[in-house]
Amino acid sequence: MNLQVIRGTATGIIQQAGAEVMLYYDQPHTETTKSSMFDIVTEGDKASERLIVAALCEAFPDHHIVGEEGGGMGAPAEEAEYFWYIDPIDGTSNFANNIPFFSISMALADKNLNPLVGVVLNPVSHEIFSAVAGQGVTRNGLPIRVSDTESLSQAILCSGFPYDTATQKRINVDAFMAFLPQTRGVRRIGSAALELSYVACGRLDGFWECRLNPWDCMAGILLVREAGGKVTDYQGGEAGLTGAELIASNGLLHEAMRTVITANP
Ligand code: IPD
Ligand code: CA
Ligand code: CA
């Protein structure tokens, strides 16, 4: 399997999906709610996923596809060696409010959740981040690297919150508050895939979030690792990450971030 060729195919598909999504951007939306009243899906999400899934089924008929809006598609999961994790719009709330920070995320992983190819596109800014395991990462074709920030006091971190804020106690506010007085700033951009891309290119020094799903983070995990950064769960484990707990950093800040996050569950 030639992963560079697969990256090329995924890049072509994500660009088409980006053009499709932009047809719906800055237009009146039809929204429906999903897991909670804050968790919405628009016609843009559905159109993007339809396009991506159709293209992946044609290009890789023996791969299984996990799409946020459609569940499992493509080859049956029990028979497949390779899995695609697709977020047709990551940052739907931004998209629906015409805030130009959202992305499309596609990742190929093996059965053990090791990401092999990752591509993230912001169709508004035309920035595309892509990586192949062991073969580097680029933004719009040029190599990128994580930041070299060594202390929290010089760092800009980023995080996000799950949709069950109305019903769950552990919603990440304590860690957010704990980082505020220790850092240059803490951001919430609203698209985990984009936030991980920003860690990969050094705009952000670190990112953490809990209760993400593989489609939110699988591509971004690979981008950060290939850019020289580190991605673990809250215990420091690097294998089989699902997004249930995620810390992504430039590596230098990783343990300092982990200490604050675990002390503020
Ligand atoms: C969401 C975004 C957001 C994060 C949420 C995700 P969606 O994905 O990535 O930044 O905080 O946890 O669910 O719903 O816009 O695809
Ligand atoms: Ca998402
Ligand atoms: Ca989504």
Side-chain angles (χ1 to χ4, degrees):
M1 200 162 69
N2 185 327
L3 295 179
Q4 287 291 0
V5 172
I6 293 178
R7 169 177 24 194
T9 305
T11 300
I13 295 171
I14 212 168
Q15 297 281 20
Q16 286 178 43
E20 180 77 11
V21 164
M22 291 309 287
L23 297 177
Y24 297 89
Y25 183 58
D26 216 357
Q27 305 286 331
H29 292 296
T30 314
E31 299 171 4
T32 45
T33 54
K34 300 194 293 177
S35 66
S36 83
M37 63 181 173
F38 309 123
D39 186 8
I40 57 168
V41 60
T42 71
E43 66 292 277
D45 302 72
K46 291 178 187 164
S48 172
E49 185 161 306
R50 257 196 316 273
L51 185 151
I52 295 171
V53 169
L56 286 178
C57 283
E58 196 181 329
F60 308 108
D62 53 347
H63 293 185
H64 184 69
I65 305 163
V66 182
E68 177 175 12
E69 309 306 341
M73 293 157 286
E78 319 77 67
E79 293 167 18
E81 290 288 321
Y82 297 102
F83 293 72
W84 285 93
Y85 293 95
I86 306 304
D87 198 334
I89 298 182
D90 184 51
T92 298
S93 308
N94 282 351
F95 171 78
N97 278 37
N98 305 320
I99 298 169
F101 291 97
F102 54 88
S103 61
I104 303 167
S105 179
M106 297 176 61
L108 177 71
D110 67 14
K111 281 179 174 174
N112 301 316
L113 291 162
N114 295 310
L116 304 170
V117 174
V119 188
V120 175
L121 170 72
N122 178 339
V124 181
S125 66
H126 301 288
E127 274 194 313
I128 184 160
F129 299 84
S130 77
V132 170
Q135 298 178 48
V137 54
T138 59
R139 181 185 66 220
N140 293 349
L142 298 175
I144 52 174
R145 251 203 86 71
V146 291
S147 73
D148 55 8
T149 305
E150 285 179 4
S151 72
L152 284 180
S153 62
Q154 295 171 314
I156 296 190
L157 304 182
C158 191
S159 189
F161 305 96
Y163 285 115
D164 51 9
T165 44
T167 51
Q168 292 287 324
K169 282 212 172 71
R170 292 179 56 185
I171 55 171
N172 199 24
V173 169
D174 291 349
F176 202 96
M177 293 289 285
F179 277 124
L180 272 180
Q182 298 190 50
T183 57
R184 220 171 252 190
V186 188
R187 304 284 182 263
R188 195 277 162 98
I189 293 172
S191 163
L194 210 53
E195 289 157 341
L196 286 162
S197 305
Y198 286 7
V199 174
C201 70
R203 289 176 186 161
L204 296 169
D205 302 295
F207 165 84
W208 85 100
E209 192 164 342
C210 61
R211 300 207 285 286
L212 287 170
N213 289 292
W215 51 76
D216 302 304
C217 60
M218 195 63 76
I221 289 170
L222 185 63
L223 298 177
V224 173
R225 286 183 176 158
E226 288 299 318
K230 185 164 181 169
V231 189
T232 71
D233 58 25
Y234 291 179
Q235 281 66 52
E238 295 185 70
L241 299 177
T242 59
E245 293 178 344
L246 209 66
I247 307 175
S249 75
N250 65 0
L252 302 170
L253 297 173
H254 209 85
E255 279 312 301
M257 285 183 68
R258 213 167 71 72
T259 302
V260 173
I261 292 162
T262 51
N264 294 276

